[in-house]
Amino acid sequence: MPATTSAALRTRIESALRDFLAGQRERLTGIDPQLDDICAAVEAFVLGGGKRLRPTFAYWGYRGAGGVDDDAAVTAFASLELLQACALMHDDVMDSSDTRRGEPAVHRRFAALHEQHRWSGEAAGFGTAAAILLGDLCLGWSAEMYDGSGVPAPRLAAGREAYHLMRTEVMAGQYLDVLAQADVAHSSRDRAERVARYKSAKYTVERPLLLGGRLAGADGATLAAYSAYGLPLGAAFQLRDDVLGVFGDPARTGKPAGDDLREGKRTYLVAAAYEATTPAGRAVLDARLGTADLDADGVAALRGLIVETGALDDTERRIEQLTAVALDALAGAPIEPQPAEVLTALAAAATARTS
């Protein structure tokens, strides 16, 4: 039955992931029963939450280019969730994050397992090593799931370039993000937007759309329209994520309040505050941003400065501008009516969210 609603598509994506991971569990536990801990961690992480945005954009990019609904295509697109799992597991290690989606981050989960069993060595180091390896495993599994999806080989080959570029760009964006936190002297809104473009924008919306379009045999005009819609929308999505990282409700985001401030993220929001504030304000930012033990008062002080400088309003306007550009591109896109309607709704969901 065609997936005509977001709930139906989500169910099919998660069913494909569950089946694939069940097969991997059988393979790994056949090597050694202790690998069941890895299987349980990956299953909990991948199946326990997430917006499924990337496979959803890929699916509707496919349908918009005339692709016929089938379970093989859904399985191919579901593989993007394993790529996303890799990125998030590694991101949490790099940021020393304690939680993800309201649960312990993978490296914290394995550190706790180490402590529970009273194994020798350092628990934190064990947790970090496990999370890196699990992320690597998910990266490999994403390609395996894509290639084994059942989509005919010529169609898979047509989409593989987009898949390869997606993996390269997200890793490049991750490095640029780490570099921006270290090379603070060159922080700017332009630099923050470049990081967001490669760490999230292309990888969240544009590349999945292009992947779906190529699997359906889309022409150049359709692919160009997908890029014109997907790149600004992906950037707006990341800017919303940046706002939530500072002002979001932990009950909704699953992350501690102000976590991006403790991690010293050099986002567009923070860069705008730096550019607009006084020397005294910059001194406050320099002293408190990136402080791991930043308390509630420190978070409140930085939030207040971001609001007072107009950086929050600036970022909200930028989100509106980028979303409008994306929707204008979509309005003129040569794609099927129902997918166009769904992609319009997805633009609102991606930029007006609270988690």
Side-chain angles (χ1 to χ4, degrees):
M1 181 180 69
T4 56
T5 68
S6 58
L9 178 58
R10 184 185 183 97
T11 297
R12 294 173 70 193
I13 291 166
E14 292 178 353
S15 177
L17 287 165
R18 189 172 290 106
D19 289 347
F20 178 83
L21 291 175
Q24 297 304 324
R25 177 185 281 270
E26 184 175 350
R27 175 189 292 180
L28 286 177
T29 54
I31 296 172
D32 191 301
Q34 284 191 300
L35 292 174
D36 189 66
D37 290 333
I38 284 178
C39 301
V42 173
E43 288 170 3
F45 192 92
V46 173
L47 301 175
K51 302 173 186 67
R52 314 304 184 206
L53 279 176
R54 290 156 191 83
T56 298
F57 277 115
Y59 175 83
W60 288 109
Y62 171 77
R63 294 295 304 278
V68 177
D69 178 84
D70 61 45
D71 289 339
V74 171
T75 298
F77 303 141
S79 70
L80 296 178
E81 285 296 297
L82 295 172
L83 175 57
Q84 168 72 344
C86 164
L88 294 180
M89 288 176 188
H90 287 175
D91 196 48
D92 287 342
V93 170
M94 289 184 284
D95 292 338
S96 298
S97 298
D98 291 327
T99 61
R100 170 69 63 179
R101 300 169 184 158
E103 298 293 332
V106 169
H107 62 289
R108 301 297 189 213
R109 174 183 176 132
F110 277 89
L113 183 68
H114 185 287
E115 291 172 348
Q116 175 189 337
H117 290 287
R118 299 182 180 179
W119 290 329
S120 63
E122 184 189 17
F126 177 83
T128 296
I132 292 171
L133 291 169
L134 261 65
D136 291 347
L137 195 59
C138 286
L139 179 62
W141 281 353
S142 68
E144 184 179 339
M145 188 175 184
Y146 177 80
D147 287 338
S149 62
V151 172
R155 287 166 53 196
L156 286 177
R160 197 166 280 117
E161 180 184 4
Y163 213 132
H164 290 334
L165 283 171
M166 192 184 323
R167 287 197 296 265
T168 297
E169 287 166 349
V170 71
M171 300 305 174
Q174 287 278 37
Y175 175 74
L176 290 175
D177 188 32
V178 171
L179 178 63
Q181 292 179 63
D183 185 18
V184 297
H186 294 97
S187 291
S188 69
R189 283 180 290 179
D190 286 345
R191 187 178 190 185
E193 285 201 297
R194 187 180 308 113
V195 171
R197 182 180 307 124
Y198 288 99
K199 181 182 177 183
S200 183
K202 295 173 80 67
Y203 157 68
T204 299
V205 186
E206 185 198 17
R207 291 297 178 203
L209 283 168
L210 294 177
L211 174 65
R214 288 189 180 280
L215 257 66
D219 59 20
T222 301
L223 296 175
Y226 282 162
S227 288
Y229 161 83
L231 192 53
L233 180 60
F237 170 87
Q238 181 58 45
L239 291 182
R240 174 60 61 208
D241 212 45
D242 295 342
V243 171
L244 292 173
V246 175
F247 294 96
D249 178 358
R252 291 179 175 272
T253 64
K255 301 278 281 184
D259 224 28
D260 279 7
L261 300 174
R262 294 185 186 88
E263 293 165 7
K265 293 286 187 183
R266 298 287 164 160
T267 62
Y268 182 98
L269 180 69
V270 168
Y274 263 106
E275 290 177 14
T277 195
T278 62
R282 281 192 289 275
V284 172
L285 287 166
D286 288 339
R288 297 189 171 184
L289 192 67
T291 303
D293 59 354
L294 189 69
D295 60 15
D297 288 341
V299 169
L302 289 176
R303 283 175 170 170
L305 193 151
I306 288 169
V307 172
E308 289 162 13
T309 59
L312 178 58
D313 288 340
D314 183 342
T315 303
E316 291 289 354
R317 283 193 297 272
R318 186 63 177 149
I319 291 171
E320 291 176 6
Q321 291 167 357
L322 290 165
T323 305
V325 169
L327 290 175
D328 284 348
L330 184 63
I335 64 175
E336 299 292 326
Q338 185 196 10
E341 181 180 341
V342 173
L343 290 172
T344 300
L346 283 171
T351 57
R353 61 199 168 90
T354 58
S355 64

